[in-house]
Amino acid sequence: MERVSQIEFRNHRILLADCSDCGPEELAAAIDDVPRYVTREPLGSVLLLADFSRSSFNKQTVEHLKLATVFDRPHLKKAAWVLTENLDRTLYESVRTFSNRQIPVFSTREKALEYLVSDQS
C-alpha cells in the first residue's frame, strides 16, 4: 500500500504520510519512505501531514522517526502530526529534541490540515 501521497487542501499542496493503523514493522517502513518524497522538493517548501492514528510505536520505530525528522527538516515549511494517544509523551519529546523541531500534534487530520494552511507557525 502506498502511504505517501500529494493532496490538495484549500489550494495548498500537502504531502500526506498516511501512517495510520500500522504495526511497528509497517510503521517503520512507512516512516523510512517519507524522506524520499520530502527531499525531492525545494528547501523550505513542503507542508507535511503525518497521520499516525492508531499505529503502534516501539523503540525501533521511534528511532526511524528521529532519523526521518532530521532528514526532512530543511525541506519543510510546516509539519503537523496526528496522534491518537498512541505515542508516549517521553518518546514524542525524544523525537522533538533529537530533530530540534517543534512538531504540533493534533487529534484529527482536519485540525492538522487547518493548521498547515494557516499563517501561524
Side-chain angles (χ1 to χ4, degrees), residues 26-43:
E26 186 179 10
L27 181 57
I31 290 167
D32 290 348
D33 205 26
V34 174
R36 184 169 58 100
Y37 292 88
V38 173
T39 57
R40 291 182 197 164
E41 301 298 329
L43 297 175

Side-chain angles (χ1 to χ4, degrees), residues 35-111:
R36 184 169 58 100
Y37 292 88
V38 173
T39 57
R40 291 182 197 164
E41 301 298 329
L43 297 175
S45 69
V46 177
L47 297 174
L48 175 65
L49 171 57
D51 186 346
F52 298 106
S53 301
R54 301 167 307 280
S55 286
S56 300
F57 289 88
N58 62 21
K59 280 186 136 182
Q60 290 77 24
T61 57
V62 170
E63 292 303 314
H64 286 258
L65 194 52
K66 285 179 177 179
L67 293 175
T69 57
V70 169
F71 281 110
D72 291 351
R73 185 178 52 213
H75 297 270
L76 295 181
K77 182 175 182 181
K78 282 172 94 172
W81 287 0
V82 178
L83 289 168
T84 51
E85 299 181 17
N86 52 334
L87 178 61
D88 178 79
R89 183 86 178 146
T90 304
L91 294 176
Y92 165 78
E93 287 299 327
S94 74
V95 173
R96 194 186 63 69
T97 301
F98 184 83
S99 65
N100 196 29
R101 284 176 45 195
Q102 295 298 323
I103 306 167
V105 172
F106 299 89
S107 58
T108 67
R109 203 179 271 194
E110 292 74 25
K111 288 177 183 177

